[in-house]
């Protein structure tokens, strides 16, 4: 690829990587002899060259040559001392001067390369996309030498003073100086009553229109400071640490592509964050008809919800059933909803406009089965039916005797009907 070279060392001794010796100024018909490195024997030469294959070692060599003309006269001895060097330099190390994208991906908005590991006496050459090699200068291949945006294959070769060439260092670089478009943004969960009202209880955003492995960037102070994602390819931002208060937030968004190019800020995105749950409320039985008015044993399962606003919509669930039922314009759960006797658990949920939820539960036992009639029997000292009737008539019992005999804990509703 590159031409061989012979150079003179500071001592004046020539150095080369090709030890082929050309013998000149031979007379017609003359014979010539040579010896290498002070050998005792002379060898008759053939043609006009001494083969480089005879020099097996690196370093200094001395060649002596003389000729004998056709008349048998020996000429003077010519001597040449030189340094043989066929060892190439180590390949250069090459890296992007500024990898503005993901470190090590070879994609950058600046394709300048740093060329390292080149000896001060050596030279380096570069080829871009298979073009001819060009000698480099200093320790940097400038961005302008790489070319336009796109992917480029670059070869770097180191050449020592005698022309030995290193193995090439091959680098693949993608130059990208084009800024991406601004991304779109939406709430991760618009939990408000109206899907699209931008009212939520979850401070998370989703970005759309991102390029492959691009990153998002947001500002919540009108562009004074920016928060950049450190996860290429991620399109979601969980912003609990940033959106640290309830209220209205205004967000600016940008896109950072894999080369580090940054888009212009997109239109401001505004949403309202509300993480405050609704106020508490209570549940009670409308009629706790048990003997103990706090035992939650009743024959009437109507449940009253206290603490709701007039006309408020709320939800309830019975006995952990999967379905939640919606209620509006009343603050009671009807007795008819409970279709069996036994232990029940009712849970009521109150939702605000942002989807925040407050729940309350009540457990009670429903018993709608009347007891059977008691059995009655007279004692052993009984009289005839006629005698009993006469005795009752004579006793003239007071009219309020039955009322006086009722248990004191019964209410009028609970008392048995007297005939």
């Amino acid at each position: 690829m590159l031409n061989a070279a012979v150079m003179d060392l500071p001592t004046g001794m020539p150095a080369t990587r090709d030890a082929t010796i050309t013998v000149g100024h031979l007379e017609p018909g003359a014979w010539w002899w040579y010896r290498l490195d002070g050998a005792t024997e002379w060898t008759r030469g053939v043609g006009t060259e001494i083969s480089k294959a005879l020099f097996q070692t690196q370093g200094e060599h001395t060649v002596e040559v003389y000729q004998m003309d056709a008349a048998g006269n020996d000429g003077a001895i010519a001597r040449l001392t030189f340094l043989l060097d066929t060892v190439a330099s180590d390949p250069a190390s090459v890296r992007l001067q500024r990898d503005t994208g993901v470190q090590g991906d070879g994609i950058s908005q600046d394709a300048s390369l740093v060329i390292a590991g080149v000896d001060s006496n050596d030279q380096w050459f570069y080829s871009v996309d298979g073009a001819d090699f060009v000698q480099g200068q200093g320790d940097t291949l400038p961005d302008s030498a790489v070319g336009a945006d796109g992917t480029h294959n670059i070869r770097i070769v180191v050449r020592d003073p005698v022309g030995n060439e290193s193995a090439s260092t091959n680098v693949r670089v993608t130059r990208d100086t084009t800024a991406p478009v601004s991304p779109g943004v939406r709430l991760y969960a618009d939990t408000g009553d109206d899907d699209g009202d931008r009212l939520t209880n979850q401070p998370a955003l989703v970005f759309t229109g991102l390029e492959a492995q691009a990153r998002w960037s947001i500002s919540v102070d009108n562009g004074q400071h920016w928060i950049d994602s450190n996860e290429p390819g991620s399109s979601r931002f969980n912003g609990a640490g940033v959106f640290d208060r309830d209220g209205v937030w205004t967000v600016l968004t940008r896109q950072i592509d894999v080369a580090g190019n940054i888009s212009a800020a997109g239109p401001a995105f505004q949403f309202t964050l509300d993480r405050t749950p609704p106020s508490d409320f209570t549940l009670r039985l409308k009629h706790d008809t048990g003997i103990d008015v706090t035992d939650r044993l009743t024959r009437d399962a109507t449940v009253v919800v206290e603490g709701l606003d007039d006309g408020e919509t709320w939800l309830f669930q019975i006995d952990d059933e999967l379905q939640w039922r919606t209620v509006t314009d009343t603050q009671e759960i009807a007795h008819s909803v409970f279709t069996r006797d036994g232990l029940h658990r009712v849970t009521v949920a109150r939702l605000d406009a942002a989807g925040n939820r407050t729940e309350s539960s009540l457990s009670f036992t429903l018993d709608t089965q009347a007891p059977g009639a008691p059995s009655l029997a007279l004692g052993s000292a009984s009289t005839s039916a006629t005698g009993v009737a006469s005795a009752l008539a004579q006793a003239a019992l007071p009219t309020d005797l039955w009322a006086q005999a009722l248990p004191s804990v019964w209410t009028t509703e609970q008392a048995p009907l007297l005939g």
Side-chain angles (χ1 to χ4, degrees):
M1 178 189 62
L2 302 174
N3 293 326
V6 176
M7 64 165 288
D8 290 331
L9 298 176
T11 60
M13 180 187 300
T16 186
R17 63 186 174 90
D18 184 354
T20 301
I21 305 298
T22 300
V23 181
H25 295 97
L26 295 175
E27 292 187 1
W31 290 1
W32 58 278
W33 284 264
Y34 67 91
R35 65 180 181 181
L36 309 179
D37 299 325
T40 57
E41 299 294 330
W42 291 82
T43 301
R44 182 179 174 184
V46 178
T48 59
E49 289 185 349
I50 300 173
S51 172
K52 64 181 180 181
L54 299 175
F55 302 92
Q56 297 296 314
T57 60
Q58 304 291 311
E60 184 176 322
H61 292 281
T62 298
V63 179
E64 295 175 288
V65 176
Y66 75 92
Q67 65 176 320
M68 182 178 68
D69 64 15
N73 299 302
D74 292 335
I77 297 175
R79 291 181 176 81
L80 173 64
T81 299
F82 66 94
L83 187 71
L84 177 62
D85 178 7
T86 61
V87 179
S89 299
D90 292 332
S93 64
V94 183
R95 62 175 176 81
L96 280 169
Q97 188 175 52
R98 291 193 314 122
D99 193 339
T100 59
V102 178
Q103 195 66 30
D105 65 358
I107 303 174
S108 179
Q109 59 190 231
D110 179 1
S112 299
L113 299 176
V114 174
I115 315 299
V118 179
D119 187 82
S120 59
N121 293 319
D122 294 346
Q123 298 173 321
W124 60 273
F125 298 79
Y126 68 91
S127 170
V128 179
D129 297 330
D132 292 341
F133 277 85
V134 178
Q135 183 175 345
Q137 303 295 326
D139 61 0
T140 304
L141 179 65
D143 175 79
S144 59
V146 174
D149 280 8
T151 299
H152 301 281
N153 295 300
I154 301 168
R155 298 177 61 196
I156 305 293
V157 173
V158 178
R159 181 174 182 239
D160 69 14
V162 297
N164 295 302
E165 297 172 7
S166 72
S168 66
T169 301
N170 301 323
V171 178
R172 187 180 180 89
V173 174
T174 299
R175 182 179 187 270
D176 179 0
T177 61
T178 303
V181 298
S182 304
V185 62
R186 62 175 173 82
L187 289 171
Y188 173 73
D190 193 330
T191 60
D193 291 338
D194 181 7
D195 187 15
D197 60 5
R198 296 184 182 178
L199 174 61
T200 186
N201 58 18
Q202 297 187 31
L205 301 175
V206 174
F207 302 92
T208 59
L210 294 177
E211 297 180 0
Q213 297 302 302
R215 296 176 293 138
W216 50 259
S217 176
I218 69 166
S219 173
V220 294
D221 57 8
N222 199 32
Q224 296 183 48
H225 303 89
W226 290 89
I227 301 169
D228 299 338
S229 168
N230 57 7
E231 297 182 35
S234 172
S235 61
R236 180 176 170 182
F237 173 49
N238 294 315
V242 174
F243 304 116
D244 55 1
R245 60 166 176 79
D246 284 4
V248 177
W249 287 90
T250 301
V251 181
L252 299 179
T253 60
R254 303 185 305 186
Q255 177 174 187
I256 305 172
D257 68 16
V258 291
N261 300 297
I262 302 175
S263 74
F269 177 77
Q270 192 171 83
F271 69 96
T272 300
L273 179 62
D274 178 1
R275 290 170 289 194
T276 303
S279 58
D280 292 332
F281 56 93
T282 59
L283 307 180
R284 66 173 177 83
L285 288 170
K286 187 172 184 178
H287 301 292
D288 192 334
T289 63
I291 295 176
D292 182 348
V293 295
T294 63
D295 61 3
R296 296 182 181 173
L297 173 62
T298 185
R299 66 169 186 264
D300 179 0
T302 304
V303 175
V304 177
V305 186
E306 296 181 329
L308 300 181
D309 296 329
D310 292 340
E312 181 176 344
T313 298
W314 47 279
L315 309 173
F316 75 92
Q317 178 190 59
I318 296 176
D319 300 331
D320 296 323
E321 61 189 5
L322 296 178
Q323 180 183 3
W324 286 84
R325 312 184 196 194
T326 302
V327 180
T328 304
D329 296 332
T330 183
Q331 295 186 2
E332 291 185 356
I333 301 174
H335 168 83
S336 59
V337 172
F338 302 91
T339 58
R340 62 169 178 79
D341 282 5
L343 181 64
H344 290 285
R345 177 182 173 85
V346 58
T347 300
V348 173
R350 185 181 196 184
L351 302 175
D352 65 13
N356 298 297
R357 188 182 191 104
T358 299
E359 293 186 0
S360 183
S361 296
L362 174 70
S363 296
F364 64 92
T365 300
L366 177 63
D367 181 0
T368 61
Q369 300 300 314
S375 61
L376 302 176
L378 293 173
S380 58
S382 59
T383 63
S384 66
T386 305
V388 171
S390 175
L392 289 175
Q394 294 175 5
L397 293 176
T399 58
D400 61 347
L401 177 61
W402 285 106
Q404 293 175 9
L406 290 174
S408 61
V409 295
W410 283 1
T411 66
T412 302
E413 292 178 348
Q414 294 171 315
L417 299 176
L418 300 177

